[in-house]
PDB file of all heavy atoms in Angstrom:
ATOM      1  N   ASN A 982      -7.713 -15.083   8.480  1.00  0.00           N
ATOM      2  CA  ASN A 982      -7.697 -16.264   7.625  1.00  0.00           C
ATOM      3  C   ASN A 982      -9.103 -16.791   7.308  1.00  0.00           C
ATOM      4  O   ASN A 982      -9.857 -17.140   8.209  1.00  0.00           O
ATOM      5  CB  ASN A 982      -6.888 -17.346   8.363  1.00  0.00           C
ATOM      6  CG  ASN A 982      -6.493 -18.500   7.487  1.00  0.00           C
ATOM      7  OD1 ASN A 982      -6.617 -18.432   6.276  1.00  0.00           O
ATOM      8  ND2 ASN A 982      -6.000 -19.563   8.108  1.00  0.00           N
ATOM      9  N   HIS A1149      -5.383 -27.468  19.523  1.00  0.00           N
ATOM     10  CA  HIS A1149      -6.372 -26.834  18.627  1.00  0.00           C
ATOM     11  C   HIS A1149      -7.799 -26.948  19.158  1.00  0.00           C
ATOM     12  O   HIS A1149      -8.721 -27.233  18.385  1.00  0.00           O
ATOM     13  CB  HIS A1149      -6.306 -27.459  17.230  1.00  0.00           C
ATOM     14  CG  HIS A1149      -5.184 -26.933  16.392  1.00  0.00           C
ATOM     15  ND1 HIS A1149      -5.128 -25.647  15.937  1.00  0.00           N
ATOM     16  CD2 HIS A1149      -4.084 -27.538  15.907  1.00  0.00           C
ATOM     17  CE1 HIS A1149      -4.044 -25.481  15.215  1.00  0.00           C
ATOM     18  NE2 HIS A1149      -3.376 -26.603  15.188  1.00  0.00           N
ATOM     19  N   GLU A1199      -4.987 -17.480  20.952  1.00  0.00           N
ATOM     20  CA  GLU A1199      -4.987 -17.040  19.548  1.00  0.00           C
ATOM     21  C   GLU A1199      -6.386 -16.714  19.036  1.00  0.00           C
ATOM     22  O   GLU A1199      -6.525 -16.019  18.030  1.00  0.00           O
ATOM     23  CB  GLU A1199      -4.302 -18.070  18.639  1.00  0.00           C
ATOM     24  CG  GLU A1199      -5.053 -19.371  18.513  1.00  0.00           C
ATOM     25  CD  GLU A1199      -4.347 -20.363  17.596  1.00  0.00           C
ATOM     26  OE1 GLU A1199      -3.195 -20.711  17.877  1.00  0.00           O
ATOM     27  OE2 GLU A1199      -4.973 -20.788  16.612  1.00  0.00           O
ATOM     28  N   ARG A1220      -1.131 -16.460  24.294  1.00  0.00           N
ATOM     29  CA  ARG A1220      -0.827 -16.710  22.874  1.00  0.00           C
ATOM     30  C   ARG A1220      -1.617 -15.791  21.956  1.00  0.00           C
ATOM     31  O   ARG A1220      -1.961 -16.176  20.839  1.00  0.00           O
ATOM     32  CB  ARG A1220      -1.180 -18.170  22.548  1.00  0.00           C
ATOM     33  CG  ARG A1220      -0.250 -19.174  23.151  1.00  0.00           C
ATOM     34  CD  ARG A1220       0.891 -19.517  22.236  1.00  0.00           C
ATOM     35  NE  ARG A1220       0.452 -20.114  20.998  1.00  0.00           N
ATOM     36  CZ  ARG A1220       0.944 -19.793  19.809  1.00  0.00           C
ATOM     37  NH1 ARG A1220       1.853 -18.852  19.672  1.00  0.00           N
ATOM     38  NH2 ARG A1220       0.502 -20.400  18.719  1.00  0.00           N
ATOM     39  N   ASP A1253      -0.590 -17.429   8.203  1.00  0.00           N
ATOM     40  CA  ASP A1253      -1.796 -16.773   7.692  1.00  0.00           C
ATOM     41  C   ASP A1253      -1.945 -15.346   8.179  1.00  0.00           C
ATOM     42  O   ASP A1253      -2.983 -14.723   7.930  1.00  0.00           O
ATOM     43  CB  ASP A1253      -3.053 -17.609   7.973  1.00  0.00           C
ATOM     44  CG  ASP A1253      -3.188 -18.031   9.415  1.00  0.00           C
ATOM     45  OD1 ASP A1253      -3.386 -17.167  10.272  1.00  0.00           O
ATOM     46  OD2 ASP A1253      -3.081 -19.241   9.680  1.00  0.00           O
ATOM     47  N   GLU A1276       6.409 -17.941  18.122  1.00  0.00           N
ATOM     48  CA  GLU A1276       6.105 -18.887  17.038  1.00  0.00           C
ATOM     49  C   GLU A1276       6.641 -18.322  15.724  1.00  0.00           C
ATOM     50  O   GLU A1276       6.408 -17.161  15.394  1.00  0.00           O
ATOM     51  CB  GLU A1276       4.583 -19.079  16.929  1.00  0.00           C
ATOM     52  CG  GLU A1276       4.185 -20.037  15.821  1.00  0.00           C
ATOM     53  CD  GLU A1276       2.666 -20.253  15.746  1.00  0.00           C
ATOM     54  OE1 GLU A1276       1.907 -19.404  16.257  1.00  0.00           O
ATOM     55  OE2 GLU A1276       2.258 -21.271  15.160  1.00  0.00           O
ATOM     56  N   TRP A1340     -11.484 -27.346  14.626  1.00  0.00           N
ATOM     57  CA  TRP A1340     -10.212 -27.549  13.940  1.00  0.00           C
ATOM     58  C   TRP A1340      -9.047 -27.026  14.755  1.00  0.00           C
ATOM     59  O   TRP A1340      -9.065 -25.930  15.238  1.00  0.00           O
ATOM     60  CB  TRP A1340     -10.184 -26.866  12.565  1.00  0.00           C
ATOM     61  CG  TRP A1340      -8.932 -27.255  11.881  1.00  0.00           C
ATOM     62  CD1 TRP A1340      -8.597 -28.498  11.465  1.00  0.00           C
ATOM     63  CD2 TRP A1340      -7.822 -26.411  11.559  1.00  0.00           C
ATOM     64  NE1 TRP A1340      -7.346 -28.497  10.919  1.00  0.00           N
ATOM     65  CE2 TRP A1340      -6.850 -27.235  10.981  1.00  0.00           C
ATOM     66  CE3 TRP A1340      -7.555 -25.060  11.752  1.00  0.00           C
ATOM     67  CZ2 TRP A1340      -5.614 -26.742  10.555  1.00  0.00           C
ATOM     68  CZ3 TRP A1340      -6.338 -24.571  11.332  1.00  0.00           C
ATOM     69  CH2 TRP A1340      -5.378 -25.410  10.731  1.00  0.00           C
TER      70      TRP A1340
HETATM   71  O1  KDG B2128      -6.021 -19.419  11.033  1.00  0.00           O
HETATM   72  C1  KDG B2128      -5.842 -20.400  12.006  1.00  0.00           C
HETATM   73  C2  KDG B2128      -4.372 -20.680  12.214  1.00  0.00           C
HETATM   74  O2  KDG B2128      -3.683 -19.485  12.435  1.00  0.00           O
HETATM   75  C3  KDG B2128      -4.133 -21.595  13.382  1.00  0.00           C
HETATM   76  O3  KDG B2128      -4.693 -22.837  13.144  1.00  0.00           O
HETATM   77  C4  KDG B2128      -2.664 -21.763  13.636  1.00  0.00           C
HETATM   78  O4  KDG B2128      -3.123 -22.807  15.752  1.00  0.00           O
HETATM   79  C5  KDG B2128      -2.344 -22.212  15.027  1.00  0.00           C
HETATM   80  C6  KDG B2128      -1.011 -21.891  15.561  1.00  0.00           C
HETATM   81  O5  KDG B2128      -0.806 -22.111  16.737  1.00  0.00           O
HETATM   82  O6  KDG B2128      -0.192 -21.389  14.796  1.00  0.00           O
END
Side-chain angles (χ1 to χ4, degrees):
N982 194 12
H1149 280 293
E1199 67 180 59
R1220 289 269 298 137
D1253 51 67
E1276 180 178 21
W1340 187 66

